[in-house]
Each structure stands twice: as C-alpha cells, then as structure tokens.
Amino acid sequence: MEVNNKYIRFDWAVKRMLRDKANFAVLEGLITVLTGEVVKIVELLESEGNQETSTDKFNRVDIKAKNSKGEIIIVEVQLTRQLYFLQRMLYGVSKAITEHIEIGQMYDNVKKVYSINILYFDLGKGSDYLYHGQTVFTGVHTNDHLVVNTKEAEELRMRLPHDIFPEYYIIRVNEFNSVATTPIEEWLDYLKNNRIKDDTSTPGLVEARKKLLYMTMSDKERRAYDAHMDDIMVQNDVLETAKREGRAEGRAEGRAEGEQVKAVAIARNLKSMGISVADIKMATGLSDEDIMNI
C-alpha cells in the first residue's frame, strides 16, 4: 500500500512507538501545548490492553502516564463513534483515581488526573475543535469562586478546586479546517493530515519529525502499519456507506410518511362529503380501518 504522508499516524504511534521512553518527548509536547505547562513524563502506568491486531480493539489505544508532579495523564485516541463516550471518559478517570490510592491512605494521596481524548468521529454539536472541562465551584448568589484549604509540604495553603479535580480535553480532529499558525493548530494539522512543518518549533512536533518518519520503519513495522491503514480505510468506507444508506432510507421513509399524511387529508375531505368508504379506499389506497378511524 502506498503511503503519501511521510509521518506515521498518531494513533499508531501512541500504540506502538510513544510507549518507548526514548519517544516520551512527543507525548510530552502535546500535553505541554494543551495545558500550557511544561510536562515531563517519568513513567508509563498500566493501561488497558493495547492489542496487536485489527480484530482486537484496533480503534482504541490508551496511554496512562505519571508526570514529574505525580499527576496522572490519560491519553485516548478513538477512531469510531461511541454513544457513551463521555461516560467512558468519566469511568476512565474514576478508575485511575481509585487505582492509585489504597484503603487507609489519607485523601491527600488522591492524584490529579488529566484526561486527553483525541476523537476522529462526530461527538455531537459544537463548532470548536478543542474543548476543555474542569471543575469550578461558583457562588450561586455571589458568583465568586470557592478556594479551599489544603496541606502541602507541612504548610496550609489555599487552592482552587480545579487544582485538585480532574481536567478533561476533547480534541475533535475532524472539525479542524484552519491553516496551522499556532502550536495547537500545528498539532491538529498533524493529527488530521499527518503534516508537520519543516521549520516547526512546536513542542513534541520537533521530536515527531525525527522519530515518526514512515521511511525509518523496518519492513515488518511498515507492513503492520500498512495493514492498519487498510483497516482504517475499510472501516471508514463501511461507516460512510452506512451513513448514506441511512440517509436514503430516511428520505424514503419521509416520502412514505408524507404520502400517508396526504392520503389521510384527502380521505377526511371525501368522508366529510359523504363519499362511500369503498370509493375513498379506491381514491387514497387507505385501508378500511384507517378510513373508519378518521
């Protein structure tokens, strides 16, 4: 299979390459651009099994990592539509929190979690390609933000709830249609089009230009990658076909419903004129029962 893009798709890189400590800088760059803080990954944690073949959840790849602050970062790439994706996001974060605190530990051991979700399907309404969600407690009457006491390094400090509660990022890749001028736009251009500027200085993409080159893959890796791309093409074709068939079926049902409404209206008029049921049936195609119920 011919691959025109010179860079490997991010979903494949997450699954096969970015789990290598030597390639952490690519993932660190994406998280840095999203959060606005320089991120250093110290280790990858156990995440959901990342299967090796297209039949084993090839549309789902996850990374769970710990940064230098001890915070947990979940990165998930989703290629196909899932109706309950928000619930899955919540479950993934909740699971990460509970997995990293043991019974009997103080609650100050609860880890801050960042959930980064890269979606290649239409999640719903929304005109932006990037959404950020965090927990903020706002006064119902005063509209001020609650600040809470917390103990850090044996000192009592004040913190905002969003410093403690999870944060969520949703990247809607297919909604990106801009010229890449900012770091996040450059990342979106790579995620959607596999393009990276030759002179980029964007964190993560500088490293990606060196580490995610298609031509540097071994023959075995290239064959596996090509098979993955074939799977995606087949999957997209199946989804598009289903969409078209659904639209066609919807139009046909709409026409049928419209004809039914029209027939009922005609039958009602004929019935009010005293026309016999048999004649109305012949004129409209409605059943005896339909006509009697009008």
Side-chain angles (χ1 to χ4, degrees), residues 65-84:
K66 183 169 72 173
N67 67 14
S68 57
K69 295 181 179 179
E71 299 167 330
I72 299 171
I73 300 168
I74 299 172
V75 179
E76 183 168 334
V77 181
Q78 181 72 18
L79 300 183
T80 56
R81 179 174 175 79
Q82 189 171 75
L83 288 175
Y84 302 108

Side-chain angles (χ1 to χ4, degrees), residues 14-248:
V14 166
K15 185 174 183 179
R16 300 295 185 95
M17 304 173 72
L18 301 187
R19 309 184 70 82
D20 186 338
K21 190 171 184 179
N23 297 331
F24 280 1
V26 177
L27 198 57
E28 290 170 346
L30 171 60
I31 301 166
T32 295
V33 168
L34 281 174
T35 63
E37 296 183 14
V38 176
V39 172
K40 183 69 176 177
I41 294 175
V42 295
E43 66 173 313
L44 290 187
L45 306 171
E46 287 297 321
S47 60
E48 288 195 50
N50 292 308
Q51 285 74 8
E52 296 295 321
T53 67
S54 62
T55 57
D56 293 334
K57 298 184 182 178
F58 79 91
N59 65 325
R60 184 172 184 174
V61 289
D62 298 312
I63 277 185
K64 185 165 68 171
K66 183 169 72 173
N67 67 14
S68 57
K69 295 181 179 179
E71 299 167 330
I72 299 171
I73 300 168
I74 299 172
V75 179
E76 183 168 334
V77 181
Q78 181 72 18
L79 300 183
T80 56
R81 179 174 175 79
Q82 189 171 75
L83 288 175
Y84 302 108
F85 190 80
L86 291 183
Q87 289 89 331
R88 195 173 94 187
M89 284 171 51
L90 177 60
Y91 174 78
V93 167
S94 302
K95 187 176 180 183
I97 292 172
T98 56
E99 283 177 344
H100 293 277
I101 184 170
E102 298 178 3
I103 294 176
Q105 285 186 325
M106 296 289 290
Y107 287 121
D108 62 349
N109 287 290
V110 169
K111 304 297 184 183
K112 166 90 173 187
V113 179
Y114 293 89
S115 174
I116 298 171
N117 303 274
I118 302 169
L119 309 184
Y120 287 82
F121 67 91
D122 182 13
L123 184 65
K125 288 187 177 181
S127 57
D128 209 330
Y129 58 79
L130 176 62
Y131 287 86
H132 176 216
Q134 58 186 179
T135 300
V136 178
F137 289 88
T138 305
V140 174
H141 303 100
T142 61
N143 206 39
D144 67 326
H145 288 170
L146 178 67
V147 184
V148 298
N149 295 326
T150 185
K151 193 174 183 180
E152 299 177 33
E154 302 306 317
E155 292 183 15
L156 197 63
R157 299 184 181 180
M158 304 295 286
R159 296 182 69 184
L160 291 167
H162 68 70
D163 294 327
I164 302 168
F165 281 75
E167 292 188 38
Y168 301 87
Y169 292 86
I170 295 178
I171 302 173
R172 304 169 73 214
V173 177
N174 295 338
E175 296 301 314
F176 176 73
N177 296 301
S178 304
V179 176
T181 58
T182 65
I184 188 59
E185 288 173 344
E186 286 194 39
W187 259 103
L188 263 293
D189 197 26
Y190 165 55
L191 293 174
K192 183 175 183 178
N193 304 309
N194 293 4
R195 288 195 299 249
I196 303 176
K197 292 180 178 180
D198 291 339
D199 60 349
T200 187
S201 59
T202 294
L205 295 182
V206 174
E207 294 78 10
R209 288 193 67 246
K210 303 172 185 176
K211 299 178 180 295
L212 303 185
L213 287 168
Y214 174 78
M215 295 308 297
T216 61
M217 300 172 79
S218 67
D219 289 341
K220 181 179 179 180
E221 290 172 334
R222 197 176 295 128
R223 285 194 296 272
Y225 179 74
D226 290 346
H228 173 72
M229 294 298 292
D230 284 337
D231 287 333
I232 290 175
M233 290 177 64
V234 170
Q235 171 185 272
N236 289 340
D237 184 56
V238 169
L239 292 174
E240 183 59 30
T241 299
K243 287 180 182 178
R244 291 182 180 181
E245 289 178 349
R247 287 195 292 267

Side-chain angles (χ1 to χ4, degrees), residues 253-268:
E253 291 178 357
R255 286 195 296 270
E257 289 177 4
E259 291 172 359
Q260 176 76 5
V261 170
K262 183 178 179 180
V264 169
I266 293 173
R268 183 176 290 109

